[in-house]
Amino acid sequence: MGKDVIIALDFDSREKTLAFLDQFTEEKPFVKIGMELYYAEGPAVVREIKARGHKVFLDLKLHDIPNTVKKAMAVLSGLDVDMTNLHAAGTKAMMEAALEGLTRPDGTRPLLIAVTQLTSTSQERMEADLLIDKPLDQVVMHYAKCAAEAGLAGVVCSPLEAGKVHEACGGGFVTVTPGVRFADGEVGDQVRVTTPAKAKELGSDYIVVGRPITQAADPVAAYRRCVAEFVG
Ligand code: C5P
């Protein structure tokens, strides 16, 4: 599994996204397209960015009944994305159906990654709203194990959890980790942050980096700094 930096393209239009990507004349970064851009521009923007030579992580976090997710995943697979995701809370049956839908006739498929508990969910809210009374880190690890048992490729988690996930689910189980900031950068609304170098040390497979690159005065230089620290 190649370590890589994934840039979160958190823009609300094709124009802004392409203007950002146009700055990269020498490299073709792996990029993440989330709900905002996908809902604004639809599958056309995914095809266009793929056609420009980028690998794409389509971050739509599917969560529905197994049959619906299976059919939706078949559509996403047709977009030829490299990575996509769902909520492990949809159950193993949903995750298995998703894998089936995602698998192309030739047996290949994008990497399918599970979201465990969102980092915006606190212990208190999980207990009160979701009626889950186990410790949050235990819940996250349980969801990760369920994802591995269902045959998924990995999970989205904090770099601080990457080691534990690898211990529980195997070294080949991919950890995709947001919450990355430069040591001298702004934290913004992220709470638990890690530098690219620290994420590498902790065993993250992919780091997802948004604002430290997209809002930088020189995004290409910021991307190269991330790659230098994380990939080496
Ligand atoms: O700008 P920033 O580096 O904080 O962007 C991180 C990206 O990763 C955003 O697209 C955010 O939605 C996503 N993400 C996250 N934390 C999670 C899951 C996804 O920050 N637990």
Side-chain angles (χ1 to χ4, degrees):
M1 199 58 59
K3 289 203 177 254
D4 211 347
V5 174
I6 302 178
I7 305 179
L9 296 178
D10 292 325
F11 300 107
D12 61 8
S13 74
R14 169 185 178 275
E15 286 67 31
K16 286 179 200 165
T17 306
L18 297 187
F20 170 78
L21 290 177
D22 280 343
Q23 299 171 86
F24 292 83
T25 52
E26 283 171 37
E27 52 269 279
K28 293 283 182 193
F30 199 144
V31 296
K32 178 170 91 69
I33 297 176
M35 292 185 199
E36 184 184 15
L37 182 58
Y38 190 79
Y39 290 148
E41 301 287 354
V45 78
V46 178
R47 289 196 192 93
E48 190 167 5
I49 291 171
K50 277 295 297 182
R52 289 166 68 118
H54 297 273
K55 284 190 176 172
V56 172
F57 169 19
L58 191 55
D59 176 20
L60 298 180
K61 300 186 177 69
L62 276 68
H63 189 174
D64 207 318
I65 60 170
N67 187 56
T68 301
V69 170
K70 178 178 166 179
K71 289 180 164 178
M73 285 293 184
V75 174
L76 299 185
S77 184
L79 287 177
D80 204 25
V81 296
D82 300 278
M83 185 186 288
T84 190
N85 62 0
L86 47 60
H87 274 282
T91 76
K92 277 192 214 171
M94 189 200 79
M95 292 193 265
E96 287 163 2
L99 275 180
E100 253 182 74
L102 210 51
T103 307
R104 305 183 185 101
D106 66 0
T108 64
R109 63 173 175 243
L111 289 179
L112 183 59
I113 304 294
V115 175
T116 58
Q117 283 292 342
L118 292 168
T119 46
S120 50
T121 304
S122 64
Q123 180 74 37
E124 189 189 11
R125 288 334 310 167
M126 189 177 68
E127 288 177 13
D129 299 355
L130 309 181
L131 222 59
I132 299 172
D133 59 8
K134 296 272 196 302
L136 186 53
D137 58 343
Q138 249 182 52
V139 177
V140 167
M141 292 310 299
H142 178 65
Y143 282 22
K145 280 187 211 160
C146 286
E149 284 162 16
L152 267 68
V155 285
V156 181
C157 63
S158 157
L160 302 163
E161 295 156 358
K164 263 195 186 169
V165 169
H166 284 139
E167 262 172 47
C169 305
F173 195 65
V174 170
T175 51
V176 180
T177 67
V180 174
R181 292 293 180 266
F182 292 120
D184 53 1
E186 287 197 16
V187 171
D189 59 355
Q190 294 282 12
V191 179
R192 296 193 304 156
V193 299
T194 306
T195 64
K198 186 72 183 168
K200 176 184 183 179
E201 192 187 313
L202 292 169
S204 295
D205 296 293
Y206 295 90
I207 52 172
V208 175
V209 188
R211 288 160 291 180
I213 295 175
T214 57
Q215 306 301 311
D218 183 345
V220 176
Y223 171 72
R224 287 181 182 155
R225 181 179 171 193
C226 260
V227 172
E229 273 193 38
F230 182 66
V231 184

